[in-house]
Amino acid sequence: MAAIELRGLTKVYPGGVTALDALDLVVPDGEFFALLGPSGCGKTTLLRTIAGLEAATGGAVVIGGRDVTGVQPGERDVAMVFQDYALFPHMDVADNIAYPLRIKKVPKGARRGKAAEVGARLGLDGLMDRRPGQLSGGQQQRVALARVMATQAQAFLFDEPLSNLDARLRLEARTFLKKLQRELGVTTVFVTHDQAEALAMADRMAVMEAGHIRQIGTPAEVFQRPANTFVAAFIGSTPMNLLDATVRGDTLEVAGCKVPVPASAEGRLQDGERLVYGVRPEYMAYSDGPADAALAGKVAIVENLGASYLVTLDVGDVAVQAVVPEGREPAVGSDGHAVPRRDRALVYRDGELV
Amino acid sequence: MIRFVLGRIGFYALVAVVLAFFTLPLLWLVTAPFTADPTYEVRVPLPGGGRGDGGTAAFTWDNFRAVLEHPYALPSLYNSVLLSAGTAALVVLLAALAAYALSRVRLPGRDALLYVLLLLSSIITGTAAIVPLFQLAVELDLIDSRLGLVLILTGGLLPAAIFMLKDFMDSTPKSYEESARVFGASPLQIVRHVVVPLVRPGLATIAVWAVANVWGNFLMPYLLLSDVEKQPAAVITYTLYTEGGQANLRLLSTFGLLYSVPVVLMYLFVSKKYGFRFHGGIKR
Ligand SMILES: Nc1ncnc2c1ncn2[C@@H]1O[C@H](COP(=O)(O)OP(=O)(O)O)[C@@H](O)[C@H]1O
Ligand SMILES: [Mg+2]
């Protein structure tokens, strides 16, 4: 087990794309760490640079206290699950799982035994002499996990381990993976572009944008207090309301309505300042009748989220969204009032949290 | 609708004619060796046939006996096997290494290099290079040597083989190798455990292609080997004449059959064993 530390890590691809820009990050020993970001922001590059498959242009990679920046991938004592799993198509499941042991010159009998043991733990018994091509996506994913477990490496790197599974299976695999990591206690960095996955699985997470880390924190911190409007817009299954606001004394004027200054920003705003006011649809109290400090408008769209509804109000000429419990959803065209929770509302000055 | 049907009929009629055009020589090849006095006609060999009743001919094994007794016929087939197996082995080995490197390492001007190679390949075994090649072989004391011929044939086939194999290797995902690399496999282990098994169908294709090329090559062995005992079947075929200077159809047809069977068998074997199956394991 080992901590992973990145110091000023920079990767510039030949051709001039800066995929990682002076990145600093510490993943403590045993942590399940998620790297979240939109496609093309450099997540895969980061994992590959940690693994040693890409040479860093600048900065250092430290694993378990050892600077491995110039070390070959095979000697870094990390194991990686590729996005496409990369199971060897010409080997059966047992040989695939045992491959890392074959490299370590473990005798054939012993490594088949170990493969069977790890395979059984992941529910692969009975499939050990199939080829990867004869397995379902979920089974392939578990073989890839088993192969990584057989390495007994200091750290695991997963590149979008769930993105190839269908939606239902993905939820199961999510729980399974989290449980497995907890049991093994191996430092794990996993990459995803799915914010729900990162929130659900990670102990801590980083949100990336174009080669930069925009926020690091626990899923709760990142969800409740996004450090900037990029993270605010990226996190959450329903996007956060980000509305232009002007400070008027101890209230904010938002879309022609008056709301109190959020608790977290109290005393830190200047009168007349123009800001962005952010509040999640989940943190809005919705009512049909007039309410104090509400954003009031006409109901434009009502979307069914299952146990709740997402209501879009036209407030002046901006759209404001609120989540309403089932049974209380309004009719389209009626008047609606959404009251932001003062302890959950946020303000952003120049894109950064106040 | 009628037009469609007529179109179809016309199409299949055309296919049938084209097919017949290619089938007739094959039919001749499998029937003539078994007939007592082969002509250029296709006739069915039957015991007791050939007495004036059209389309049949007397069945016999005599032609095969004649080929067996011919001093150079069977040895020449052995020579062909030697030459083509040797060339194929060299071509596969060298092309695989070169193609792997070209596919995986970024070199400036790599594609230009490949196209130049391909262009050169048609020159090396082409007639234009015969004189310099002959002189080179003389200088290097490789004239009338099977090894020399194998080297020259290999040189001729390599560029195209590298080109084809590189294409094949380009289409195999890199993540297999990278995965093995992260597990600590050395470059040689990666090639042995991962790359070779993955590109085996490609290697088999190149081997078959090389064998077929050498098997059918007349000009090079004809020019570079003067000793009849070293000459392959393709050259010996041209010596099968009667004393009168006529083509000896008995020997020609029988030897022709013996000459084609190994290649056909090889195709069947390789396509059954390697085919073009791909087992998956990369999720797309
Ligand atoms: N081998 C490469 N050569 C040049 N540019 C690359 C290469 N791989 C990735 N990139 C670029 O680097 C950036 C980050 O890519 P990547 O790490 O794959 O992003 P992600 O995994 O977050 O989708 C992208 O702009 C991509 O185009
Ligand atoms: Mg990626």
Side-chain angles (χ1 to χ4, degrees):
Chain A
M1 315 299 119
I4 298 174
E5 198 180 334
L6 310 179
R7 299 192 194 129
L9 194 66
T10 301
K11 173 70 191 179
V12 182
Y13 279 111
V17 180
T18 304
L20 304 175
D21 196 358
L23 227 104
D24 290 301
L25 179 66
V26 178
V27 181
D29 186 14
E31 192 168 74
F32 200 18
F33 191 88
L35 271 173
L36 172 68
S39 182
C41 72
K43 307 180 296 289
T44 299
T45 306
L46 182 53
L47 272 201
R48 291 173 58 87
T49 315
I50 297 176
L53 291 169
E54 301 287 350
T57 314
V61 179
V62 179
I63 298 173
R66 185 167 68 114
D67 187 332
V68 295
T69 315
V71 173
Q72 283 295 310
E75 280 146 33
R76 294 192 176 198
D77 210 4
V78 298
M80 181 161 172
V81 170
F82 288 73
Q83 189 167 355
D84 55 21
Y85 306 146
L87 301 176
F88 304 127
H90 54 285
M91 296 183 195
D92 65 13
V93 169
D95 281 343
N96 260 292
I97 297 176
Y99 187 73
L101 303 174
R102 180 171 168 192
I103 296 298
K104 292 193 182 123
K105 304 250 183 318
V106 177
K108 184 153 184 135
R111 64 181 196 244
R112 300 276 302 191
K114 175 76 183 171
E117 182 194 318
V118 177
R121 181 158 181 196
L122 295 191
L124 291 167
D125 24 357
L127 304 174
M128 296 306 274
D129 40 50
R130 290 218 202 153
R131 294 281 174 96
Q134 301 164 311
L135 299 178
S136 72
Q139 290 165 337
Q140 289 184 8
Q141 191 235 14
R142 277 181 285 144
V143 175
L145 287 177
R147 187 169 64 172
V148 156
M149 277 169 65
T151 60
Q152 300 191 307
Q154 302 233 6
F156 293 162
L157 308 171
F158 297 161
D159 193 356
E160 312 227 2
L162 307 182
S163 67
N164 282 322
L165 305 178
D166 51 51
R168 177 97 235 162
L169 207 55
R170 199 175 314 173
L171 288 183
E172 278 172 31
R174 204 151 97 175
T175 316
F176 177 81
L177 202 60
K178 182 161 182 163
K179 184 158 159 281
L180 187 72
Q181 197 273 341
R182 186 124 310 159
E183 287 167 11
L184 298 173
V186 178
T187 315
T188 304
V189 178
F190 81 98
V191 151
T192 176
H193 63 259
D194 180 348
Q195 53 86 30
E197 217 168 274
L199 290 176
M201 293 202 290
D203 296 330
R204 281 195 322 140
M205 60 190 283
V207 185
M208 283 183 73
E209 182 196 14
H212 296 270
I213 291 184
R214 300 304 307 269
Q215 186 171 8
I216 301 181
T218 64
E221 284 164 6
V222 174
F223 183 80
Q224 288 170 7
R225 294 183 55 80
N228 45 63
T229 46
F230 172 79
V231 176
F234 196 70
I235 296 276
S237 42
T238 53
M240 187 188 268
N241 294 298
L242 291 170
L243 312 164
D244 289 331
T246 312
V247 183
R248 299 268 183 250
D250 55 358
T251 59
L252 292 173
E253 189 184 314
V254 178
C257 305
K258 282 207 179 326
V259 294
V261 169
S264 59
E266 225 165 358
R268 295 202 269 166
L269 308 179
Q270 286 167 358
D271 200 16
E273 201 180 356
R274 301 183 67 84
L275 302 150
V276 170
Y277 179 76
V279 61
R280 292 204 177 280
E282 294 89 344
Y283 296 144
M284 298 272 232
Y286 183 87
S287 65
D288 295 329
D292 272 352
L295 298 165
K298 281 236 181 302
V299 176
I301 300 164
V302 178
E303 291 165 57
N304 190 341
L305 301 180
S308 57
Y309 286 81
L310 180 65
V311 175
T312 305
L313 291 176
D314 283 337
V315 182
D317 50 7
V318 299
V320 175
Q321 294 189 312
V323 171
V324 178
E326 61 179 334
R328 306 231 337 250
E329 68 274 15
V332 174
S334 63
D335 288 330
H337 307 262
V339 184
R341 262 176 67 178
R342 188 157 173 256
D343 59 335
R344 285 283 178 262
L346 304 162
V347 286
Y348 293 91
R349 182 187 287 136
D350 299 327
E352 298 297 321
L353 185 64
V354 176
Chain B
M1 184 65 204
I2 297 278
R3 275 182 63 172
F4 175 76
V5 171
L6 285 178
R8 285 272 110 174
I9 291 173
F11 175 72
Y12 284 116
L14 185 74
V15 168
V17 169
V18 171
L19 214 61
F21 184 76
F22 286 106
T23 319
L24 274 175
L26 287 178
L27 275 179
W28 182 82
L29 189 64
V30 297
T31 52
F34 301 96
T35 56
D37 51 84
T39 63
Y40 290 114
E41 284 174 79
V42 175
R43 290 175 303 165
V44 184
L46 283 177
R51 291 195 203 86
D53 38 351
T56 66
F59 178 89
T60 175
W61 287 108
D62 286 350
N63 301 337
F64 286 90
R65 194 168 311 124
V67 167
L68 285 182
E69 283 161 4
H70 189 281
Y72 303 122
L74 283 191
S76 77
L77 282 170
Y78 170 75
N79 288 338
S80 282
V81 170
L82 218 60
L83 288 174
S84 42
T87 309
L90 262 183
V91 166
V92 166
L93 181 71
L94 298 178
L97 294 175
Y100 183 56
L102 283 169
S103 166
R104 293 309 193 236
V105 182
R106 291 211 158 271
L107 290 175
R110 175 182 62 182
D111 292 337
L113 177 79
L114 274 168
Y115 283 104
V116 169
L117 272 180
L118 199 62
L119 201 72
L120 285 180
S121 86
S122 47
I123 296 173
I124 289 188
T125 34
T127 359
I130 290 280
V131 176
L133 272 179
F134 188 84
Q135 277 175 344
L136 190 68
V138 172
E139 289 292 320
L140 294 175
D141 208 12
L142 287 173
I143 203 80
D144 203 18
S145 136
R146 291 194 190 101
L147 176 66
L149 182 57
V150 163
L151 289 178
I152 286 176
L153 289 171
T154 303
L157 295 179
L158 259 182
I162 292 173
F163 198 80
M164 287 188 274
L165 261 185
K166 180 193 168 275
D167 212 47
F168 196 86
M169 292 197 180
D170 282 349
S171 64
T172 27
K174 266 190 197 165
S175 50
Y176 294 126
E177 293 147 56
E178 289 177 337
S179 178
R181 215 172 136 211
V182 177
F183 292 134
S186 68
L188 223 74
Q189 282 176 317
I190 295 176
V191 168
R192 273 211 334 267
H193 298 164
V194 181
V195 180
V196 168
L198 282 177
V199 299
R200 191 168 282 156
L203 299 182
T205 311
I206 295 298
V208 167
W209 170 80
V211 165
N213 250 287
V214 176
W215 196 263
N217 194 322
F218 166 75
L219 197 59
M220 285 290 153
Y222 181 69
L223 290 173
L224 296 176
L225 299 176
S226 43
D227 186 351
V228 190
E229 292 190 359
K230 290 180 186 163
Q231 279 174 346
V235 176
I236 292 299
T237 309
Y238 287 84
T239 65
L240 300 178
Y241 288 93
T242 58
E243 289 86 36
Q246 295 283 308
N248 184 341
L249 285 188
R250 293 179 57 211
L251 281 181
L252 262 180
S253 63
T254 313
F255 190 66
L257 185 64
L258 291 178
Y259 177 56
S260 1
V261 163
V263 182
V264 173
L265 287 182
M266 175 185 69
Y267 268 113
L268 292 178
F269 173 76
V270 170
S271 97
K272 191 169 158 75
K273 181 136 195 245
Y274 299 110
F276 283 91
R277 277 167 295 148
F278 191 68
H279 300 292
I282 287 284
K283 184 89 174 134
R284 279 172 229 272

